[in-house]
Amino acid sequence: MNDVGVVETQYLLLSDMGVHEITLESGAKIGPITVAYETYGTLNETRSNAILICHALSGDAHAAGYHKEIGHKPGWWNDAIGPGKAFDTDRYFVVCSNVLGGCQGTTGPSSINPRTGKPYALSFPVITIGDMVQVQWYLMKHLGIEKWLSVAGGSMGGMQALEWALRYPENVYSAMVIASTGRLSPQSIAFNAVGRNAIISDPNWQNGEYYGKAIPEKGLSIARMIGHITYLSEISMEKKFGRKLQNKKEFSFDFSTEFAVESYLHHQGQKFVERFDANTYLYVTKAMDYFDVAAKYGQGSLKKAMQKISSRMFLLSFSSDWLFPPSQTQELVDALIANHKDVTFYNIDSSYGHDAFLLEVEKETSLIQRFLQSSSKLWQEDRYEAA
Amino acid sequence: MNDVGVVETQYLLLSDMGVHEITLESGAKIGPITVAYETYGTLNETRSNAILICHALSGDAHAAGYHKEIGHKPGWWNDAIGPGKAFDTDRYFVVCSNVLGGCQGTTGPSSINPRTGKPYALSFPVITIGDMVQVQWYLMKHLGIEKWLSVAGGSMGGMQALEWALRYPENVYSAMVIASTGRLSPQSIAFNAVGRNAIISDPNWQNGEYYGKAIPEKGLSIARMIGHITYLSEISMEKKFGRKLQNKKEFSFDFSTEFAVESYLHHQGQKFVERFDANTYLYVTKAMDYFDVAAKYGQGSLKKAMQKISSRMFLLSFSSDWLFPPSQTQELVDALIANHKDVTFYNIDSSYGHDAFLLEVEKETSLIQRFLQSSSKLWQEDRYEAA
């Protein structure tokens, strides 16, 4: 299979569109805003083949292909985006942007506040999934798109896809909510809270004012390690590591990193601190904690919230995902069905846990392709009828 | 129901028995050793009514009744130990001791090393569940007991009960392995590893040399918070907290402790650092990581390991326990059955997660009582036949 080749991240300054600041769900205002994004494929004449890909907690705008300057590191969903792939760039114009509050080019707590000349740090306002989506809406306008063929994402990306369908129904023909949920459960809030606590407890954190100094890498690493436990399943951990020791056969009877699973987590923690901003971790996990579409759109009723949906909905869960378990997707599906919405739902049998949405590419590909093709056709028919 | 009333912790110095040091599984030697223990009820003339209760990670010797000096705080398993209770002190002589490596009276890393006059800290040797059990064996001898009617425990206490049955089959008439496992899974090792990492990353930890100074309370608190997430189930978190906010109705859009579940975890973390030693947390979790009866007693085969069992075995799991899930108890049961051992197994339907073993007292009581009564009778018959 081919891929999209060398790509470049582009930057949109909302102020170039005359948008100097935006109002957030909290009521706070923030601006100026820069949005880092990438595009793959070509927008067709009718502007009806555009797909927005939304990234998860630790993702960025670089979803597919390779960056020239840092060699051959592929985008985070390169397996799913490209010619002939699930999101087929021979057919579709695929867009991905870094979220508001992020640390990979879009304005976030590590960005310079032009009013002070210093990074925002904790003076950056607390944001929501809705705020992230609002910024993506401006990107859509900038690209000359009036309606996405689909907005798609896994995990926190799926929350954004769902939020798009609720917040901007007129701009979303279909939405794909993958390995995600309509609200963060107390267990997930708990894991996020402990991760944030680890960061905040790191003396290097310095109330968020660590830029240009030693970073709170120990705290961020612990947060990431906790995260990775929740991304795997018990079965996948058994298969991948079992009780294997790292590079030896006998117990060392000390506190060195000893089991293979410990070594994996330490490695993941270390890799993460080299590329991710600790304050962004705080902001983005908090946005997830706040996510609850029943509360926001249905006065507590998920069924009532789902009334607002007019997009075709595609939902995918994975059997061994215990972070956002199939039951949480099922709740969304039930509420959509109760409102007679156009719903497609698959629960893929997989041992990979939450990470499955990035790993079960083969199983996902035909499901996603078929849904996008039918959405494309149905939308075309709708337009003929309307014309 | 009554309880055992006011009790006092007693202290056994193994050197008073002529045991000046013991050899650990690592090959290291440690001594002198003090064992903190409590007893409830009366040892009968035939010394055939003694039950050893083994505590979990954060437990201690104070399993039942009240200490005079600190008011009315009941022992950690007061609901299950006392007159007419599961472990009926009108019938049985119940013993509980703090584990080796602990911090509640038994020798551990916070104890003074008589050779240096300073706390051991990390010069304390790394211990195993088997080492804990070896120390309990000396306590048994000191109490004039040759065979326990039963050795019982939940979680890490269940590991000790299983280890007793394998290490000292001649001293254990029956063993009760509750909410436990025959080996720590990679997922559990991962959670322990992250908890230890949080402690070690706390600058106050000072390579374990924090005694008499500021303690690594932030790291220990994070470790405890992680632990508590694994002790609850998703269902029990939903029931207990849901997405409720603590003391308010609107999001605060800041990083204060906001959700009820966060507040609960912070509270648990805070309470824990007031009573528990961070180094003991390292040692005891490491002992759990090493626990694998198939590797130790069966050259990797659980079935082979279970051949060595001669005690009556009672195993209890809880449906929503995802730390030591029912499937792990089932593996033990299957291996025992394959060896035609005397096995009693119940999987109790409960929403409380791992904590269920402390909370589902009503469901446990009759099961435990019945098993102890039948064990008592069967042992008596065995003795008549032998006489």
Side-chain angles (χ1 to χ4, degrees):
Chain A
M1 229 185 276
N2 294 316
D3 56 54
V4 299
V6 174
V7 293
E8 257 182 76
T9 305
Q10 300 174 68
Y11 298 90
L12 165 65
L13 280 67
L14 293 199
S15 48
D16 288 350
M17 301 170 70
V19 178
H20 300 287
E21 62 179 20
I22 62 169
T23 303
L24 303 173
E25 287 192 35
S26 64
K29 292 174 194 300
I30 177 89
I33 291 169
T34 300
V35 185
Y37 68 100
E38 295 190 3
T39 71
Y40 322 106
T42 311
L43 187 61
N44 63 11
E45 277 190 21
T46 52
R47 296 164 185 269
S48 60
N49 70 335
I51 297 171
L52 178 68
I53 302 287
C54 303
H55 69 71
L57 170 54
S58 66
D60 52 35
H62 182 39
Y66 300 85
H67 282 176
K68 215 173 181 177
E69 57 275 31
I70 52 163
H72 287 286
K73 195 183 162 233
W76 59 267
W77 218 4
N78 195 49
D79 289 338
I81 304 167
K85 298 186 185 181
F87 299 95
D88 186 347
T89 51
D90 287 340
R91 291 166 176 260
Y92 307 113
F93 177 64
V94 177
V95 179
C96 183
S97 65
N98 187 213
V99 295
L100 180 68
C103 52
Q104 309 283 351
T106 294
T107 304
S110 59
S111 303
I112 299 296
N113 178 349
R115 286 161 203 82
T116 63
K118 289 191 294 187
Y120 282 100
L122 286 214
S123 74
F124 196 80
V126 167
I127 52 163
T128 64
I129 299 292
D131 297 329
M132 296 175 183
V133 164
Q134 186 189 176
V135 169
Q136 292 161 358
W137 186 88
Y138 285 108
L139 174 61
M140 177 190 77
K141 289 289 178 185
H142 166 74
L143 295 169
I145 296 161
E146 270 310 305
K147 193 170 197 160
W148 300 104
L149 170 62
S150 201
V151 178
S155 195
M156 190 182 83
M159 296 178 199
Q160 294 162 62
L162 183 58
E163 177 74 19
W164 260 99
L166 286 161
R167 187 180 177 111
Y168 303 118
E170 68 281 11
N171 301 116
V172 183
Y173 189 76
S174 72
M176 307 179 78
V177 180
I178 300 171
S180 192
T181 184
R183 60 175 199 115
L184 225 66
S185 71
Q187 191 178 67
S188 298
I189 293 171
F191 279 120
N192 280 346
V194 178
R196 285 196 299 272
N197 206 262
I199 291 168
I200 288 173
S201 295
D202 188 320
N204 286 349
W205 182 63
Q206 294 283 334
N207 205 33
E209 306 279 348
Y210 53 79
Y211 298 107
K213 304 175 202 162
I215 63 167
E217 60 178 19
K218 286 181 177 171
L220 182 57
S221 170
I222 290 166
R224 184 62 166 174
M225 288 166 77
I226 296 170
H228 267 282
I229 297 177
T230 68
Y231 305 154
L232 299 175
S233 68
E234 213 199 331
I235 308 166
S236 64
M237 275 202 180
E238 284 287 356
K239 283 188 186 170
K240 199 165 178 171
F241 311 110
R243 290 181 48 84
K244 273 202 304 281
L245 300 179
Q246 191 69 7
N247 306 323
K248 54 181 181 170
K249 288 183 177 171
E250 303 283 331
F251 292 149
S252 58
F253 292 101
D254 60 28
F255 293 107
S256 61
T257 299
E258 190 161 17
F259 288 91
V261 65
E262 285 184 270
S263 175
Y264 169 83
L265 290 176
H266 282 158
H267 177 70
Q268 293 296 336
Q270 273 316 303
K271 271 198 336 194
F272 193 60
V273 301
E274 289 163 17
R275 71 174 177 89
F276 208 80
D277 176 53
N279 284 338
T280 280
Y281 201 91
L282 303 182
Y283 280 87
V284 172
T285 54
K286 193 74 185 175
M288 291 169 76
D289 287 1
Y290 282 165
F291 190 66
D292 180 354
V293 294
K296 185 172 170 189
Y297 291 103
Q299 295 167 285
S301 159
L302 191 59
K303 186 181 167 189
K304 197 172 171 190
M306 291 302 113
Q307 278 178 13
K308 297 190 164 54
I309 297 276
S310 62
S311 314
R312 295 191 82 205
M313 299 299 293
F314 173 96
L315 297 100
L316 206 57
S317 60
F318 297 89
S319 57
S320 61
D321 183 352
W322 62 278
L323 184 61
F324 299 140
S327 59
Q328 293 181 13
T329 296
Q330 185 70 57
E331 278 178 25
L332 284 169
V333 170
D334 291 346
L336 286 161
I337 289 174
N339 284 293
H340 311 291
K341 302 297 180 184
D342 182 344
V343 195
T344 302
F345 168 48
Y346 303 99
N347 180 39
I348 292 181
D349 188 45
S350 170
S351 66
Y352 287 122
H354 186 61
D355 271 349
F357 85 93
L358 294 168
L359 299 172
E360 293 285 10
V361 178
E362 209 181 309
K363 290 179 183 169
E364 286 173 310
T365 299
S366 71
L367 300 176
I368 293 173
Q369 282 179 343
R370 199 183 307 268
F371 178 77
L372 288 173
Q373 283 165 29
S374 64
S375 294
S376 199
K377 270 187 199 156
L378 288 166
W379 188 16
Q380 199 170 14
E381 283 169 21
D382 289 355
R383 290 200 308 278
Y384 279 132
E385 280 169 25
Chain B
M1 230 185 278
N2 294 315
D3 55 54
V4 299
V6 174
V7 294
E8 255 182 77
T9 306
Q10 299 173 70
Y11 298 90
L12 164 66
L13 280 66
L14 293 199
S15 46
D16 288 350
M17 302 169 69
V19 179
H20 300 288
E21 61 179 22
I22 63 168
T23 303
L24 303 172
E25 286 191 34
S26 64
K29 291 175 195 299
I30 176 88
I33 291 170
T34 300
V35 185
Y37 69 99
E38 296 189 4
T39 70
Y40 322 107
T42 310
L43 188 61
N44 64 11
E45 277 190 20
T46 53
R47 297 164 185 270
S48 60
N49 72 334
I51 297 171
L52 178 68
I53 302 288
C54 304
H55 70 71
L57 171 54
S58 66
D60 53 35
H62 181 39
Y66 300 86
H67 282 174
K68 215 174 181 177
E69 57 276 32
I70 52 164
H72 287 286
K73 198 184 161 232
W76 59 267
W77 218 5
N78 195 48
D79 289 339
I81 303 166
K85 298 185 185 181
F87 299 95
D88 186 347
T89 49
D90 288 340
R91 291 165 176 258
Y92 308 113
F93 177 63
V94 177
V95 179
C96 182
S97 66
N98 187 213
V99 295
L100 181 68
C103 53
Q104 309 284 351
T106 294
T107 304
S110 59
S111 303
I112 299 295
N113 178 347
R115 285 162 203 81
T116 64
K118 290 192 294 186
Y120 282 101
L122 286 213
S123 74
F124 195 81
V126 167
I127 51 162
T128 65
I129 300 292
D131 296 329
M132 296 175 184
V133 164
Q134 186 190 176
V135 168
Q136 291 162 357
W137 186 88
Y138 287 108
L139 173 61
M140 176 190 76
K141 289 288 179 186
H142 165 74
L143 294 169
I145 296 161
E146 271 310 306
K147 193 169 197 162
W148 300 105
L149 169 62
S150 199
V151 178
S155 195
M156 189 182 84
M159 298 177 197
Q160 294 162 62
L162 183 58
E163 177 74 20
W164 260 100
L166 286 160
R167 188 180 177 112
Y168 303 117
E170 68 281 10
N171 302 116
V172 182
Y173 189 76
S174 73
M176 308 180 77
V177 179
I178 300 172
S180 193
T181 184
R183 62 176 199 114
L184 225 66
S185 71
Q187 190 178 69
S188 298
I189 292 171
F191 280 119
N192 280 346
V194 178
R196 285 197 299 271
N197 207 262
I199 292 168
I200 287 172
S201 295
D202 188 320
N204 285 349
W205 182 62
Q206 294 282 334
N207 205 33
E209 306 278 348
Y210 53 79
Y211 298 109
K213 304 176 202 162
I215 63 168
E217 60 178 19
K218 286 181 176 172
L220 181 59
S221 171
I222 290 166
R224 184 61 167 175
M225 289 166 75
I226 296 170
H228 267 282
I229 297 176
T230 68
Y231 305 153
L232 299 176
S233 69
E234 212 199 334
I235 308 167
S236 65
M237 276 203 180
E238 283 287 357
K239 282 188 186 170
K240 198 166 177 173
F241 311 110
R243 290 181 48 84
K244 273 201 305 282
L245 301 180
Q246 190 70 5
N247 305 324
K248 53 181 180 169
K249 287 182 177 170
E250 303 284 329
F251 292 149
S252 58
F253 292 103
D254 60 27
F255 294 107
S256 60
T257 299
E258 191 161 17
F259 288 92
V261 65
E262 286 183 271
S263 174
Y264 169 82
L265 291 176
H266 283 158
H267 177 68
Q268 293 296 336
Q270 272 317 304
K271 272 199 334 195
F272 194 59
V273 301
E274 290 163 16
R275 70 174 178 89
F276 209 81
D277 176 52
N279 285 338
T280 280
Y281 202 90
L282 303 182
Y283 280 86
V284 171
T285 56
K286 193 74 184 173
M288 291 169 75
D289 288 1
Y290 282 165
F291 190 66
D292 180 354
V293 293
K296 186 172 170 189
Y297 291 103
Q299 294 165 287
S301 159
L302 191 60
K303 185 181 168 189
K304 196 171 170 191
M306 291 302 112
Q307 278 177 13
K308 297 190 165 53
I309 297 275
S310 62
S311 313
R312 294 191 82 204
M313 299 299 292
F314 173 96
L315 297 100
L316 205 57
S317 60
F318 297 89
S319 58
S320 61
D321 182 352
W322 62 278
L323 184 62
F324 300 139
S327 59
Q328 293 181 14
T329 297
Q330 185 70 57
E331 279 178 25
L332 284 170
V333 169
D334 291 346
L336 286 162
I337 290 174
N339 283 292
H340 312 291
K341 301 298 179 184
D342 182 344
V343 194
T344 302
F345 169 48
Y346 304 98
N347 179 41
I348 291 182
D349 189 45
S350 170
S351 66
Y352 287 122
H354 185 62
D355 271 349
F357 85 93
L358 295 168
L359 299 172
E360 294 284 10
V361 177
E362 208 182 310
K363 291 178 183 169
E364 287 173 309
T365 299
S366 71
L367 300 176
I368 292 173
Q369 283 180 342
R370 200 182 306 267
F371 178 77
L372 288 173
Q373 283 166 27
S374 63
S375 294
S376 197
K377 271 187 200 157
L378 288 166
W379 188 17
Q380 199 169 14
E381 283 168 21
D382 289 356
R383 290 200 309 277
Y384 278 131
E385 281 169 23

